[in-house]
């Protein structure tokens, strides 16, 4: 049983990889979700954070205080972003399509 548990924790998440999304101004940027639970974005302010899979979404907590979700909806993905102190079950501050590019 222990071997099975250890093996299943090593299984890669479908969310691991590089995602192309848009910021609040409509500019493209990339979010990288690593297998060790770290996240980074190629934005000017050098966003870094952690992520975890929750149901059909990856929830990213950034060093900026923002939270981003990448959610699988039918056959495509969507990114929603929430400003610091905004509830994750309320309307997002920003949303865009998300595409896995690597």
């Amino acid at each position: 049983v222990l071997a099975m548990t250890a093996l299943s924790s090593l299984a890669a998440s479908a969310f691991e990889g590089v995602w192309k999304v848009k910021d609040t101004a409509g500019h493209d940027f990339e979010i990288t979700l690593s297998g060790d639970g770290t996240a980074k974005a190629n934005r000017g302010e050098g966003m870094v954070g952690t992520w975890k899979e929750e149901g059909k979404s990856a929830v990213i907590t950034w060093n900026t205080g923002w939270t981003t979700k990448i959610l699988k909806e039918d056959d495509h993905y969507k990114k929603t972003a929430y400003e610091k102190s905004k509830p994750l079950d309320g309307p997002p501050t920003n949303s865009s399509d998300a595409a896995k590019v690597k």
Side-chain angles (χ1 to χ4, degrees):
V1 174
L2 266 178
M4 295 274 292
T5 304
L7 214 63
S8 65
S9 67
L10 295 176
S13 166
F15 290 103
E16 284 179 43
V18 179
W19 294 85
K20 184 177 178 181
V21 297
K22 292 187 183 297
D23 65 14
T24 54
H27 299 116
D28 289 339
F29 73 99
E30 291 183 347
I31 296 172
T32 301
L33 303 179
S34 299
D36 64 359
T38 59
K40 65 180 179 178
N42 67 347
R43 301 227 12 208
E45 61 267 23
M47 291 169 43
V48 294
T50 58
W51 75 279
K52 60 184 174 179
E53 191 168 346
E54 293 183 5
K56 292 183 176 183
S57 65
V59 179
I60 309 158
T61 304
W62 297 106
N63 62 332
T64 59
W66 283 61
T67 301
T68 299
K69 288 184 182 182
I70 297 175
L71 172 69
K72 182 168 176 53
E73 291 185 337
D74 300 320
D75 62 346
H76 66 280
Y77 291 87
K78 182 177 182 177
K79 179 215 69 159
T80 53
Y82 302 83
E83 274 184 273
K84 187 177 185 174
S85 303
K86 298 285 184 183
L88 300 183
D89 58 354
T93 304
N94 168 263
S95 64
S96 75
D97 288 333
K100 192 170 184 181
V101 294
K102 291 181 192 169

